[in-house]
Amino acid sequence: MFNILVIEDNKNMRKLICATLKQNGYSTFEAEDGEVGLDVLDTTHIDLIICDIMMPNMDGYEFTETLREGHCEIPIIIVTAKEQLEDKKKGFSIGADDYMVKPIDFEELILRIGAILRRSKIVNDHKITVGDTILDYNSLSVTSNGECNTLPKKEFYLLFKLVSSPDTIFTRRQLLDEIWGMESMADERTVDVHIKRIRERYRDSKDFEIVTVRGLGYKAVINS
């Protein structure tokens, strides 16, 4: 079970978010501001954080900056009434993984949490070996036929996602949301462009193939 920390100074909102998360199978922890949130992190393994911005003692911006400066990569979703583009830019620039404006749609929140947790699981897997090909998440590199190449970030994430779940069909929208993020202005054609580049790089690979599933999306086929 995933542990989610909810940092929100409004008690009713905090309880409502936690109740929704529990209904969807998550274990929840609560904090009324960033300082209490840090205390929770000292004693508890947390998989994802939902954090308000406007709070006493330590606000959401300061909390997020503190974690990222300490090289803590726990995914953070900012949930706030601050809806201006500049607020969103600041949130993403200091390390937030997602940003939602109140009043929030709880069904959408659950979908976003699921996408981020799937993405973070990929990070934790670190390496995938397929035949003679090794994908190393930490260095964004692919070693094949004795040659190691560092890929552009999005190309690597896309290849890693597909190869880590062979024969699983992913729609363009799924790939766009998980790798580019739900707030991205990119459209689904962006996925096609990156798939084309990956195919050009590994058109001679004997270990895997990226296959188009007509009308659905893409999947990786591992050659045994």
Side-chain angles (χ1 to χ4, degrees), residues 7 15 68 82 93 115 156 206:
I7 308 176
K15 296 294 183 183
R68 296 306 185 233
K82 295 174 74 67
S93 69
F156 181 88
K206 298 178 181 179

Side-chain angles (χ1 to χ4, degrees), residues 21 26 38 40 52 65 84 104 121 128 158 202 210:
L21 294 175
Y26 296 109
L38 292 178
V40 174
D52 189 14
E65 286 181 312
Q84 298 301 313
I104 60 173
K121 182 180 183 300
I128 296 176
L158 184 55
Y202 298 104
I210 306 301

Side-chain angles (χ1 to χ4, degrees), residues 2 14 33 66 76 91 94 100 106 111 122 139 143 151 170 186 199 209 214:
F2 290 106
R14 189 170 70 243
D33 59 45
T66 299
I76 299 173
I94 62 175
M100 294 186 71
F106 285 100
L111 291 173
I122 292 176
S139 61
T143 302
L151 271 59
F170 293 96
R199 284 173 168 163
E209 180 183 0
R214 188 174 181 182

Side-chain angles (χ1 to χ4, degrees), residues 8-9 32-35 53-60:
E8 164 68 63
D9 64 326
E32 60 266 28
D33 59 45
E35 288 185 353
I53 289 179
M54 297 179 287
M55 299 180 292
N57 300 319
M58 177 184 284
D59 66 22

Side-chain angles (χ1 to χ4, degrees), residues 7 10 12 15 19 21 34 37 49 64 72 124 131 133 151 158 172 176-177 190 194 196 208 212 215:
I7 308 176
N10 183 304
N12 291 334
K15 296 294 183 183
L21 294 175
I49 299 167
T64 300
C72 175
N124 293 333
T133 301
L151 271 59
L158 184 55
R172 291 171 175 83
L176 193 65
D177 286 348
T190 301
H194 283 70
K196 181 179 179 181
F208 66 87
T212 300

Side-chain angles (χ1 to χ4, degrees), residues 1-77:
M1 180 180 290
F2 290 106
N3 294 334
I4 298 181
L5 171 61
V6 179
I7 308 176
E8 164 68 63
D9 64 326
N10 183 304
K11 183 178 180 179
N12 291 334
M13 174 60 72
R14 189 170 70 243
K15 296 294 183 183
L16 183 57
I17 293 173
C18 287
T20 301
L21 294 175
K22 289 175 181 176
Q23 289 173 0
N24 285 272
Y26 296 109
S27 176
T28 63
F29 296 82
E30 301 180 35
E32 60 266 28
D33 59 45
E35 288 185 353
V36 178
L38 292 178
D39 291 338
V40 174
L41 291 175
D42 283 340
T43 59
T44 309
H45 171 76
I46 297 295
D47 296 292
L48 182 141
I49 299 167
I50 297 173
C51 185
D52 189 14
I53 289 179
M54 297 179 287
M55 299 180 292
N57 300 319
M58 177 184 284
D59 66 22
Y61 288 143
E62 186 180 355
F63 173 81
T64 300
E65 286 181 312
T66 299
L67 261 60
R68 296 306 185 233
E69 288 172 358
H71 305 291
C72 175
E73 298 301 325
I74 297 173
I76 299 173
I77 300 177

Side-chain angles (χ1 to χ4, degrees), residues 20-187:
T20 301
L21 294 175
K22 289 175 181 176
Q23 289 173 0
N24 285 272
Y26 296 109
S27 176
T28 63
F29 296 82
E30 301 180 35
E32 60 266 28
D33 59 45
E35 288 185 353
V36 178
L38 292 178
D39 291 338
V40 174
L41 291 175
D42 283 340
T43 59
T44 309
H45 171 76
I46 297 295
D47 296 292
L48 182 141
I49 299 167
I50 297 173
C51 185
D52 189 14
I53 289 179
M54 297 179 287
M55 299 180 292
N57 300 319
M58 177 184 284
D59 66 22
Y61 288 143
E62 186 180 355
F63 173 81
T64 300
E65 286 181 312
T66 299
L67 261 60
R68 296 306 185 233
E69 288 172 358
H71 305 291
C72 175
E73 298 301 325
I74 297 173
I76 299 173
I77 300 177
I78 288 178
V79 175
T80 177
K82 295 174 74 67
E83 61 183 2
Q84 298 301 313
L85 180 59
E86 290 304 314
D87 298 317
K88 295 181 180 181
K89 285 182 177 179
K90 181 174 181 179
F92 283 114
S93 69
I94 62 175
D97 295 88
D98 208 343
Y99 193 110
M100 294 186 71
V101 177
K102 297 175 182 177
I104 60 173
D105 182 312
F106 285 100
E107 185 176 357
E108 181 181 353
L109 174 63
I110 295 301
L111 291 173
R112 289 175 182 245
I113 289 171
I116 290 174
L117 288 174
R118 286 193 296 273
R119 208 156 60 226
S120 66
K121 182 180 183 300
I122 292 176
V123 176
N124 293 333
D125 287 341
H126 294 301
K127 285 187 180 182
I128 296 176
T129 300
V130 179
D132 294 325
T133 301
I134 301 173
L135 285 73
D136 187 333
Y137 196 99
N138 292 330
S139 61
L140 303 180
S141 66
V142 178
T143 302
S144 182
N145 298 321
E147 183 178 347
C148 181
N149 292 299
T150 300
L151 271 59
K153 185 178 294 185
K154 299 301 185 186
E155 283 185 38
F156 181 88
Y157 290 163
L158 184 55
L159 178 60
F160 199 98
K161 175 66 177 177
L162 292 169
V163 173
S164 66
S165 300
D167 296 318
T168 299
I169 301 170
F170 293 96
T171 66
R172 291 171 175 83
R173 173 49 56 182
Q174 283 177 307
L175 295 170
L176 193 65
D177 286 348
E178 291 197 27
I179 295 170
W180 278 263
M182 291 185 177
E183 296 293 333
S184 172
M185 299 300 291
D187 61 31

